[in-house]
Amino acid sequence: LREEVRRDTVLGRQVQDIMARGELVSSAVIVTLMRRVMRNHPGKRVLLDGFPRSLQNAHDLVELCGTPELALHLECDDTILMERILNRASESPNGRSDDNIHTALKRLRTYHKYHNSTLEW
């Protein structure tokens, strides 16, 4: 998604404000992007970082790719996550506009809202 925003594509323009607010981009948009990327790598395995983030994402993933071979879940304390996000914003010369306290808190709330149902899937 960030690459789409950086390249100023139609898709990038659609998701830029959503990402800046720390909200989830719709599953339809994510799957459209995944299809596009996967077309360039037919028959290859892919690593999806931070996906699925909702049950709809999970169902769309199975429809697009089949059942995943493996899923990893890494746990990290919210305080450490916040520190990393805020440090990334201050240390990066081209800091991301969505790396701020308000957006980071929104991301964490969204994560906790969908986390258990996605993990159980």
Side-chain angles (χ1 to χ4, degrees):
L1 288 173
R2 294 189 193 289
E3 178 64 18
E4 294 293 313
V5 170
R6 189 190 66 72
R7 290 181 21 229
D8 197 32
T9 65
V10 172
L11 183 63
R13 289 188 295 275
Q14 289 175 348
V15 301
Q16 187 171 16
D17 289 337
I18 296 167
M19 291 169 54
R21 292 190 305 267
E23 298 173 0
L24 290 180
V25 174
S26 77
S27 196
V29 169
I30 296 293
V31 169
T32 297
L33 179 59
M34 286 173 51
R35 273 194 187 104
R36 184 183 316 150
V37 171
M38 291 172 73
R39 255 186 259 143
N40 296 329
H41 307 284
K44 302 260 175 135
R45 290 186 171 121
V46 295
L47 174 64
L48 304 171
D49 180 12
F51 190 87
R53 292 188 181 201
S54 70
L55 283 178
Q56 184 62 52
N57 282 167
H59 295 298
D60 290 344
L61 172 66
V62 170
E63 186 177 315
L64 178 66
C65 305
T67 302
E69 292 179 35
L70 174 71
L72 299 175
H73 172 72
L74 306 175
E75 290 191 28
C76 185
D77 184 79
D78 288 354
T79 305
I80 293 170
L81 293 173
M82 292 295 290
E83 287 174 2
R84 292 188 66 176
I85 290 169
L86 297 176
N87 284 341
R88 180 175 60 194
S90 65
E91 293 172 358
S92 174
N94 301 326
R96 296 178 354 192
S97 63
D98 58 337
D99 283 345
N100 60 67
I101 188 73
H102 301 293
T103 304
L105 286 171
K106 173 78 176 185
R107 283 189 206 139
L108 277 176
R109 285 187 206 107
T110 301
Y111 168 78
H112 287 295
K113 179 178 179 180
Y114 294 103
H115 169 73
N116 286 334
S117 60
T118 305
L119 189 60
E120 288 173 7
W121 171 82

